[in-house]
Amino acid sequence: MAQTSGRLILWYVLAFFLILLAVQTFMAAPGAVTVTYSEFRRLVEHKGVDDLAITNGAVSGKLLPEGVEFLAQERQDDKFPEQVKKIFEKEPLFTTVKMEDKNLLDRLDQQGIKYRAVAERTWLTALLSWVLPMLLLVGIWVYFFRKIGGAGPGGLLSVGKSKARVYMEDEIKVTFKDVAGVEEAEEELKEIIEFLRNPAKFQALGGKIPKGVMLVGPPGTGKTLLARAVAGEAGVPFMSLTGSDFVEMFVGVGAARVRDLFAQAQEKAPCIIFIDELDALGKARGISPLSGHEERENTLNQLLSEMDGFDTRKGVIIMAATNRPEILDPALIRPGRFDRHILVDRPSLKGREDILRIHARDVKLGPDVNLGTLAARTPGMVGSDLANIVNEAALLAARRDQTVVTMADFEEAIDRVVAGLEKRNRMMNPKEKEIVAYHETGHALVAEALPLVDPVHRVSIIPRGIGALGYTMQLPTEDRYLMTKSELEERMAVMLGGRVAEELHLGEVSTGAQNDLYRATGIARSMVREYGMSEKLGPLTFERERRPLFLESILPPSSKDYSEATAQEIDREVAGLVDKAYRRAREILASQRDTLERVARVLLDQEVLEGDELRRLLNEKIAEKG
Ligand code: ADP
Ligand code: MG
Ligand code: ZN
């Protein structure tokens, strides 16, 4: 919008010039034949003119037919009379620049030519020659100042005004109908919508509403879209800012913007304040104290204090989005700030199909197009990738002059988008996908087989971020502070289950288990060194109390306070624990090879298995046996 107003001004200036031009030509008697002064004098001699208007600088008047004829002769231009006839409907006019000419009036009198004097500066000419250029200058001046300010309407002149005014939207057309594949997030946001629709009623019923809601998820999964959809569903104004907007060149501007934004929100309540790309603004303070991030920190501090002083009951919800929650300042996620986190994850197979359907709404699809098949071909892709594919396919079809978009167009579009993504390392090839499916099934089956570990909540082979190709999520059934030795051992077995499953299925292992091994070894080491859980070494701890982090870099690393022999013993014990867990996992999985195959196949197909589904699959098997 800042741009639009700039362009608008440009149009004004242009229009102004045009009007000026029109007025000027009008003032100069449009279509008057310009004659030289000598021509004029001869015209007077031949009585070729009449009804003169004389000003300080010019003489103009009627050009009589005799005058036209005379000029044609004088100029040796046969076509002159015809031209004059074309231009003038009635009597032709002429004008000439006046020269010093003492006897002019006498001669006019002699010839009997009528003349009158005209005051040169009428109010109109004064207006044109003074006021308009002034206005023009002011216009240009304002225009450039806005450009310099570069900060929306007002620019430099109203630096502290919030950009949020620019991005305020009263009516958002986006609703949950335009979002797919993130049903869980939608479900969590429903409460917020309910609240925004009728804050008073919601509160009367005793509903407690979070102040800040943070949407967390990889880029392109629809966080911004979801935030807008919440406003659309609730029918409230949407004020949005992008984190990087705050990084301003003038000191204090960012903080002023935040203040202004919150003040506006109070007026507009119920409404949503949305801060996109919060990480740009909310990077942990003090990470790089030397590189002049003061302005950002001031802004962040202002945001924090505004959030603290904010009364949610008025009906203002503060939403934010980020794909890098790990770098956020811890103060931002404290209770009373962005304490509600909603995961906007990569879509599943079904989700991808739904997203494709949404974006294909306005596209004419050929009869052969199967969105389900397309969804199966795009594991790991996010909403923006899929939107991109539909768009790309439509463009391809248009380029080929087709009337509908065919499956072939989609296939080619996918290839193009995939090529782009592969560069960014976000796609798995089918072989990798298979390995990951077996790996994750391994974790899940071991977890289900062991009594002391948390039940499986979800298994997924949709890649998430760098490093994690899939995940098996276990949900603790209760909060835990203490863990027994058996529980820790079972946990390690679950971690190693992934690697075991790979071994059983492929006869070899991949690099995918690296993180599992790391974590399992970590547990084993803690068991031996910290918790005194090794039978051989007995109830001893070999871990010094951890020093504060900042001392770590100053003091030399602590030397071991146990013997070399003990160190070897520790290593052996750690290895023994890991090995025991490994054999346990192998026993479990080897005894249910067919279940492993079956579940892995389903997972490969669906990409996501909820805990209940998994247990149903397992029970089926048991029922068959029994
Ligand atoms: P993010 O903010 O998470 O990076 P955006 O909301 O900006 O992602 O998504 C960019 C575009 O991709 C959206 O405008 C929409 O067209 C498409 N898109 C992304 N996620 C979805 C989704 N879940 N459902 C439908 N379209 C989506
Ligand atoms: Mg976004
Ligand atoms: Zn694993």
Side-chain angles (χ1 to χ4, degrees):
M1 235 178 101
Q3 232 186 355
T4 337
S5 68
R7 215 172 290 155
L8 215 64
I9 288 178
L10 197 66
W11 280 117
Y12 277 134
V13 172
L14 256 175
F16 184 77
F17 266 121
L18 284 177
I19 290 171
L20 200 69
L21 207 72
V23 169
Q24 247 175 12
T25 35
F26 168 76
M27 291 297 286
V33 178
T34 312
V35 300
T36 63
Y37 199 74
S38 70
E39 278 173 337
F40 169 67
R41 282 175 65 126
R42 313 273 300 276
L43 277 167
V44 172
E45 276 167 32
H46 290 80
K47 211 171 177 304
V49 292
D50 203 358
D51 274 344
L52 304 187
I54 303 173
T55 69
N56 280 341
V59 180
S60 53
K62 287 180 190 165
L63 190 61
L64 302 177
E66 297 90 323
V68 175
E69 226 162 87
F70 168 78
L71 278 177
Q73 275 175 21
E74 194 79 350
R75 295 179 177 183
Q76 300 187 335
D77 185 354
D78 300 339
K79 294 194 183 99
F80 182 73
E82 258 174 62
Q83 281 171 357
V84 170
K85 224 180 248 164
K86 251 186 224 161
I87 298 170
F88 299 96
E89 279 178 7
K90 294 181 208 144
E91 263 167 336
L93 301 172
F94 83 94
T95 177
T96 185
V97 179
K98 210 174 112 184
M99 288 174 77
E100 186 79 4
D101 190 349
K102 278 187 221 152
N103 307 323
L104 176 63
L105 295 184
D106 294 342
R107 264 180 287 127
L108 290 181
D109 286 336
Q110 273 174 22
Q111 295 287 350
I113 295 174
K114 279 176 265 167
Y115 57 90
R116 68 201 146 92
V118 178
E120 182 148 54
R121 281 251 148 86
T122 64
W123 65 268
L124 194 61
T125 47
L127 184 84
L128 286 176
S129 58
W130 273 96
V131 182
L132 291 190
M134 282 270 276
L135 279 178
L136 193 70
L137 272 177
V138 169
I140 291 173
W141 182 74
V142 167
Y143 173 69
F144 277 105
F145 257 89
R146 288 189 184 193
K147 277 209 105 157
I148 293 167
L156 196 68
L157 303 172
S158 63
V159 138
K161 279 281 169 206
S162 175
K163 250 184 184 178
R165 194 186 290 285
V166 183
Y167 297 122
M168 199 186 103
E169 291 168 85
D170 271 317
E171 239 177 286
I172 298 241
K173 294 280 189 305
V174 180
T175 65
F176 279 168
K177 281 203 202 75
D178 305 297
V179 191
V182 287
E183 280 74 18
E184 269 177 62
E186 283 180 23
E187 203 55 48
E188 288 195 56
L189 287 167
K190 285 216 172 102
E191 184 195 9
I192 310 260
I193 294 168
E194 210 51 52
F195 167 72
L196 285 171
R197 279 197 185 135
N198 198 341
K201 187 178 134 211
F202 192 89
Q203 236 126 31
L205 292 173
K208 199 156 168 22
I209 207 70
K211 212 179 244 183
V213 178
M214 182 145 61
L215 302 173
V216 181
T221 45
K223 297 180 293 297
T224 309
L225 189 68
L226 258 178
R228 293 170 56 83
V230 170
E233 288 278 333
V236 298
F238 183 75
M239 302 189 209
S240 69
L241 293 158
T242 302
S244 48
D245 290 353
F246 284 114
V247 186
E248 277 289 337
M249 52 179 172
F250 301 112
V251 176
V253 172
R257 288 235 163 104
V258 172
R259 213 175 307 126
D260 200 56
L261 172 66
F262 277 78
Q264 274 183 55
Q266 299 270 25
E267 281 167 30
K268 289 276 174 183
C271 67
I272 291 178
I273 295 179
F274 178 58
I275 302 174
D276 210 349
E277 291 158 36
L278 181 66
D279 39 286
L281 165 70
K283 262 181 242 161
R285 285 165 294 186
I287 277 188
S288 46
L290 292 181
S291 47
H293 288 309
E294 253 169 70
E295 180 51 19
R296 207 196 62 226
E297 289 187 9
N298 288 342
T299 310
L300 177 56
N301 288 334
Q302 184 68 36
L303 176 66
L304 292 174
S305 81
E306 289 287 350
M307 283 188 83
D308 288 343
F310 209 71
D311 189 358
T312 336
R313 276 173 301 182
K314 295 227 172 67
V316 180
I317 292 284
I318 309 160
M319 293 180 79
T322 180
N323 47 38
R324 306 181 64 194
E326 70 281 356
I327 65 162
L328 288 182
D329 196 297
L332 271 173
I333 39 193
R334 222 167 272 151
R337 289 165 185 167
F338 293 106
D339 48 3
R340 174 82 65 95
H341 298 183
I342 295 181
L343 178 67
V344 186
D345 212 346
R346 289 176 197 276
S348 65
L349 181 72
K350 169 81 171 44
R352 291 198 301 272
E353 187 179 337
D354 294 342
I355 294 174
L356 283 170
R357 187 154 296 121
I358 284 178
H359 289 281
R361 271 186 311 210
D362 307 324
V363 175
K364 277 215 189 79
L365 297 181
D368 62 333
V369 173
N370 183 336
L371 296 180
T373 312
L374 292 172
R377 283 208 47 199
T378 51
M381 283 198 190
V382 294
S384 61
D385 300 330
L386 297 169
N388 203 355
I389 285 177
V390 175
N391 192 36
E392 190 77 33
L395 286 178
L396 283 170
R399 206 172 302 151
R400 292 169 182 155
D401 289 329
Q402 291 162 197
T403 49
V404 293
V405 184
T406 65
M407 201 65 171
D409 300 322
F410 274 105
E411 301 275 342
E412 194 175 334
I414 288 178
D415 289 343
R416 287 184 180 201
V417 173
V418 166
L421 290 180
E422 261 167 6
K423 280 191 204 131
R424 284 182 270 144
N425 236 336
R426 266 166 51 185
M427 289 285 291
M428 281 193 282
N429 68 37
K431 183 71 191 165
E432 284 168 335
K433 199 174 159 190
E434 186 182 331
I435 296 176
V436 175
Y438 277 87
H439 178 104
E440 296 303 329
T441 307
H443 286 308
L445 292 190
V446 176
E448 284 301 307
L450 293 173
L452 298 177
V453 290
D454 300 317
V456 173
H457 174 65
R458 178 186 301 140
V459 192
S460 160
I461 56 169
I462 302 165
R464 288 154 49 104
I466 309 150
L469 295 176
Y471 64 96
T472 302
M473 205 162 132
Q474 290 166 269
L475 263 202
T477 37
E478 55 201 314
D479 280 342
R480 302 299 300 270
Y481 297 104
L482 292 173
M483 293 189 77
T484 64
K485 187 180 171 197
S486 332
E487 279 168 347
L488 288 172
E489 283 172 346
E490 289 197 358
R491 230 170 226 226
M492 287 165 60
V494 173
M495 286 170 188
L496 296 169
R499 182 186 167 95
V500 172
E502 285 183 39
E503 250 178 33
L504 288 172
H505 177 65
L506 291 171
E508 63 173 343
V509 292
S510 73
T511 54
Q514 185 258 349
N515 185 255
D516 297 332
L517 294 182
Y518 177 80
R519 281 164 56 210
T521 315
I523 290 184
R525 188 163 287 135
S526 297
M527 284 171 74
V528 176
R529 291 166 55 106
E530 291 173 51
Y531 309 137
M533 286 177 177
S534 149
E535 274 147 36
K536 277 222 184 87
L537 291 163
L540 287 176
T541 178
F542 301 95
E543 193 81 350
R544 274 196 174 176
E545 229 176 299
R546 291 223 169 78
R547 285 187 249 181
L549 207 62
F550 63 91
L551 287 180
E552 206 85 37
S553 50
I554 301 167
L555 301 173
S558 60
S559 53
K560 286 193 211 115
D561 46 7
Y562 44 83
S563 70
E564 201 51 43
T566 310
Q568 280 182 11
E569 194 67 25
I570 289 174
D571 288 346
R572 246 195 309 275
E573 280 295 289
V574 170
L577 280 173
V578 174
D579 187 54
K580 194 170 143 201
Y582 185 81
R583 271 181 283 130
R584 196 153 173 203
R586 186 160 178 118
E587 229 166 78
I588 292 168
L589 290 178
S591 71
Q592 29 182 330
R593 277 296 300 272
D594 47 343
T595 315
L596 175 66
E597 294 287 331
R598 217 158 55 104
V599 175
R601 286 288 148 202
V602 175
L603 183 58
L604 204 48
D605 221 43
Q606 288 181 213
E607 294 180 5
V608 180
L609 259 181
E610 297 299 329
D612 295 338
E613 274 178 277
L614 171 69
R615 281 179 280 280
R616 208 175 316 125
L617 277 173
L618 297 179
N619 288 337
E620 270 169 31
K621 197 66 202 168
I622 292 165
E624 271 170 39
K625 268 186 196 160

Short mmCIF file of all heavy atoms in Angstrom, two decimals, residues 453-455 475-480:
data_model
loop_
_atom_site.label_atom_id
_atom_site.label_comp_id
_atom_site.label_asym_id
_atom_site.label_seq_id
_atom_site.Cartn_x
_atom_site.Cartn_y
_atom_site.Cartn_z
N VAL A 453 7.86 -48.16 28.64
CA VAL A 453 8.04 -46.90 27.88
C VAL A 453 6.68 -46.34 27.49
O VAL A 453 5.67 -47.03 27.51
CB VAL A 453 8.90 -47.12 26.61
CG1 VAL A 453 10.32 -47.40 26.98
CG2 VAL A 453 8.32 -48.21 25.76
N ASP A 454 6.70 -45.06 27.13
CA ASP A 454 5.46 -44.38 26.76
C ASP A 454 4.90 -44.97 25.47
O ASP A 454 5.65 -45.33 24.58
CB ASP A 454 5.74 -42.89 26.54
CG ASP A 454 6.28 -42.25 27.80
OD1 ASP A 454 5.75 -42.55 28.88
OD2 ASP A 454 7.25 -41.47 27.70
N PRO A 455 3.59 -45.04 25.38
CA PRO A 455 2.99 -45.58 24.15
C PRO A 455 3.27 -44.65 22.96
O PRO A 455 3.49 -43.46 23.13
CB PRO A 455 1.50 -45.62 24.47
CG PRO A 455 1.30 -44.67 25.59
CD PRO A 455 2.58 -44.67 26.36
N LEU A 475 4.18 -40.29 23.58
CA LEU A 475 3.62 -39.31 24.50
C LEU A 475 3.71 -39.85 25.91
O LEU A 475 3.22 -40.93 26.20
CB LEU A 475 2.16 -39.06 24.16
CG LEU A 475 1.82 -37.86 23.31
CD1 LEU A 475 0.37 -37.49 23.56
CD2 LEU A 475 2.72 -36.67 23.59
N PRO A 476 4.31 -39.14 26.80
CA PRO A 476 4.32 -39.60 28.19
C PRO A 476 2.90 -39.58 28.74
O PRO A 476 2.14 -38.66 28.48
CB PRO A 476 5.21 -38.59 28.90
CG PRO A 476 5.24 -37.40 28.01
CD PRO A 476 4.96 -37.86 26.63
N THR A 477 2.56 -40.60 29.47
CA THR A 477 1.22 -40.64 30.03
C THR A 477 1.15 -39.84 31.32
O THR A 477 0.10 -39.51 31.81
CB THR A 477 0.78 -42.09 30.30
OG1 THR A 477 1.92 -42.82 30.76
CG2 THR A 477 0.26 -42.73 29.03
N GLU A 478 2.29 -39.56 31.89
CA GLU A 478 2.31 -38.74 33.11
C GLU A 478 3.63 -37.97 33.13
O GLU A 478 4.57 -38.32 32.44
CB GLU A 478 2.19 -39.62 34.34
CG GLU A 478 3.28 -40.70 34.37
CD GLU A 478 2.91 -41.87 35.27
OE1 GLU A 478 2.47 -41.60 36.38
OE2 GLU A 478 3.10 -43.02 34.86
N ASP A 479 3.68 -36.92 33.92
CA ASP A 479 4.93 -36.18 34.05
C ASP A 479 5.92 -37.00 34.86
O ASP A 479 5.58 -37.58 35.87
CB ASP A 479 4.68 -34.85 34.76
CG ASP A 479 4.12 -33.84 33.78
OD1 ASP A 479 4.26 -34.09 32.56
OD2 ASP A 479 3.55 -32.84 34.23
N ARG A 480 7.16 -37.02 34.37
CA ARG A 480 8.14 -37.87 35.04
C ARG A 480 9.30 -37.05 35.57
O ARG A 480 9.82 -36.17 34.89
CB ARG A 480 8.71 -38.88 34.03
CG ARG A 480 7.67 -39.74 33.41
CD ARG A 480 6.94 -40.56 34.47
NE ARG A 480 7.85 -41.41 35.19
CZ ARG A 480 8.13 -42.65 34.81
NH1 ARG A 480 7.59 -43.17 33.75
NH2 ARG A 480 8.98 -43.38 35.50
#
